[in-house]
């Protein structure tokens, strides 16, 4: 798709409902498994993003802690990761790529996986991307109940890294923290 060209099939604008939209940019995402399109409504000028994916035929089942089973829902995975990444400098593309890698690993592992396995994969990915997002996710996933739970998790994170946060990460943290 060439930038700025219109598609023969249009997409309804989520802002005004018009069917008159044009594609501004098209590119692959999620390691080539998805097509991402930036669109603009010709009626109201609202810009939005759509994703095109291959629909998976095989149902992936998730076994929950309480013994229930439910079908895998990628949007729940993205929502959980997004909550951990709120107000952090992590793009939606990064989150979508992370979810794609996790989903691929899950589907490769069989027809059913535990929710615990999903949580561990998410934590591994977040630990590499952003330590604050990792601790946020861990606090919910591991059900932290007190300050010492946070301290133990942070101590594990620091010991795995072999040293405290790098100077660049400290600068980023200071830059994003409110002025006193």
């Amino acid at each position: 798709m060439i930038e700025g060209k219109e598609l023969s099939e249009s997409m309804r604008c989520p802002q005004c409902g018009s069917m008159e939209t044009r594609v501004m940019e098209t590119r692959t995402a999620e390691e080539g498994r998805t097509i991402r399109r930036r669109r603009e409504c010709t009626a109201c000028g609202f810009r939005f993003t759509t994703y095109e994916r291959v629909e998976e035929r095989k149902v992936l089942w998730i076994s929950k802690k309480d013994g229930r089973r439910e079908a895998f829902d990628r949007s729940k995975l993205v929502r959980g990761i997004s909550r951990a990444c709120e107000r952090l400098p992590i793009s939606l593309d990064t989150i979508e790529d992370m979810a794609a890698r996790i989903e691929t690993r899950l589907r490769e592992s069989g027809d059913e996986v535990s929710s615990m396995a999903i949580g561990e994969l998410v934590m591994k990915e977040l630990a590499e991307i952003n330590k604050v997002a990792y601790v946020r996710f861990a606090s919910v996933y591991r059900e932290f109940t007190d300050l010492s739970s946070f301290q133990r998790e942070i101590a594990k994170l620091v010991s795995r890294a072999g040293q405290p946060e790098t100077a660049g990460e400290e600068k980023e943290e200071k830059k994003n923290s409110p002025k006193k």
Side-chain angles (χ1 to χ4, degrees), residues 28-34 96-98 100-101 104-105 125:
T28 59
E30 299 175 11
E31 300 173 346
R33 291 184 291 274
T34 300
E96 288 285 344
D97 286 345
M98 185 185 320
R101 285 190 300 274
T104 298
R105 286 188 201 120
E125 290 273 343

Side-chain angles (χ1 to χ4, degrees), residues 26-37 51 93 97:
T26 299
R27 66 181 178 186
T28 59
E30 299 175 11
E31 300 173 346
R33 291 184 291 274
T34 300
I35 297 174
R36 177 187 184 272
R37 300 188 201 282
Y51 293 91
D93 285 342
D97 286 345

